[in-house]
Amino acid sequence: MQLVFHFVFFKNQPELELALSDVEFILLVIATVCIAAGGYVINNIMDQETDDFSKPENVIVGKHISEGMAYNIYVAFNIIGVGIGFYLSNIIQKPMFSAVFIVVAGTLYMYATSLKQNLLIGNIIVALLLSFSVVIIGIFDLYPITQESNQLQMATLFSILLDYALFAFMINFIREIVKDIEDMDGDYNSGMSTLPIVLGKERTAKIAFGLTFIPIALLIYYMNENLMEVQLVIVYLLLFVLAPLLYFLIKIWNAKTKKDFKHLSLVLKLVLLFGILSVVAITLNIKFNA
């Protein structure tokens, strides 16, 4: 997603000189991936008991690598991510921006160790961090070059980034709820307080069903307000984003088994992927009409 925005969308904007060079931007991507990977590792360390019960075939820590090795990998990922973040922050002459990577790494640690056990808080944090991975592009690539002469262009680009960040937040928040239903038995045995444990599997599925109408309604409104003259993008969004969301709605109403919810989680992951790739369709349309 970050690569698409930088190399496809931003690079095709007229008279736009980005704050980061291509190599520096790739370093930003690596830093983001390392911080996220560190969060994934610490989460696997803390979830050993849950994963042993709910998905033993996917257990890595304690089975393929020791817990001590996993901690070493976790520390290494975070050192690399924060180190690169510090380097890039100084490159753009905004050294305080390095705090972003420290805060995100710390939040992922708190999520894995305590916050995810609380009702909805963990779901919100994961969705927010995903959406922030969109916003951080603007923080490092656009904000440092923003000045009075290009404020209008920067405001438009930031607005588009925030639209995608909001979309990513909504879809991933719903997906986190679906994943909680999928992992309900393991979470219950670990003493967690997720939405399906509190309300039950069927009620939580109906909540996910209802929440899905929000991104659908907003997507239709956004297309109607901003994209009606951009037929290529309209067709793309209808086929690859709106249609899968409608499929998700139909399927989750009667979903019962763990396999059903695993499938629906994958559908939402694909919606996220194709939603982000709509940037390519927008860029192609701009080039064809230039």
Side-chain angles (χ1 to χ4, degrees), residues 184-248:
M184 179 179 173
D185 294 337
D187 290 341
Y188 179 80
N189 286 337
S190 298
M192 294 187 182
S193 181
T194 62
L195 202 60
I197 291 172
V198 174
L199 297 180
K201 184 182 295 185
E202 290 189 8
R203 288 181 181 176
T204 305
K206 298 303 184 288
I207 289 173
F209 173 86
L211 287 173
T212 308
F213 282 98
I214 299 175
I216 288 175
L218 289 177
L219 181 60
I220 293 172
Y221 172 80
Y222 191 85
M223 289 191 296
N224 185 59
E225 288 292 312
N226 301 292
L227 301 171
M228 287 309 293
E229 296 180 1
V230 191
Q231 295 302 314
L232 173 65
V233 181
I234 289 289
V235 171
Y236 177 92
L237 291 174
L238 287 174
L239 289 177
F240 295 103
V241 181
L242 192 59
L245 282 174
L246 293 174
Y247 171 82
F248 174 84

Side-chain angles (χ1 to χ4, degrees), residues 41 49 60 62 65 73 102 118 137 140 166 198 218 231 266 274:
V41 172
E49 182 181 345
I60 297 175
I65 62 172
I73 294 171
I102 299 170
N118 300 315
I137 305 170
F140 277 84
L166 177 62
V198 174
L218 289 177
Q231 295 302 314
L266 176 61
F274 288 119

Side-chain angles (χ1 to χ4, degrees), residues 11 14 41 68-69 106 134-135 160 193 224-225:
K11 286 284 188 177
V41 172
M69 177 60 74
V134 182
V135 176
I160 292 170
S193 181
N224 185 59
E225 288 292 312

Side-chain angles (χ1 to χ4, degrees), residues 136-180:
I136 200 172
I137 305 170
I139 292 175
F140 277 84
D141 230 359
L142 300 179
Y143 178 75
I145 59 167
T146 302
Q147 48 193 307
E148 192 172 343
S149 61
N150 64 2
Q151 273 187 348
L152 185 60
Q153 183 185 26
M154 292 297 108
T156 301
L157 294 176
F158 264 106
S159 176
I160 292 170
L161 279 178
L162 291 174
D163 290 337
Y164 276 92
L166 177 62
F167 175 79
F169 172 83
M170 291 187 295
I171 299 301
N172 204 50
F173 179 69
I174 297 168
R175 182 170 175 263
E176 285 298 310
I177 292 176
V178 173
K179 285 172 62 184
D180 280 346

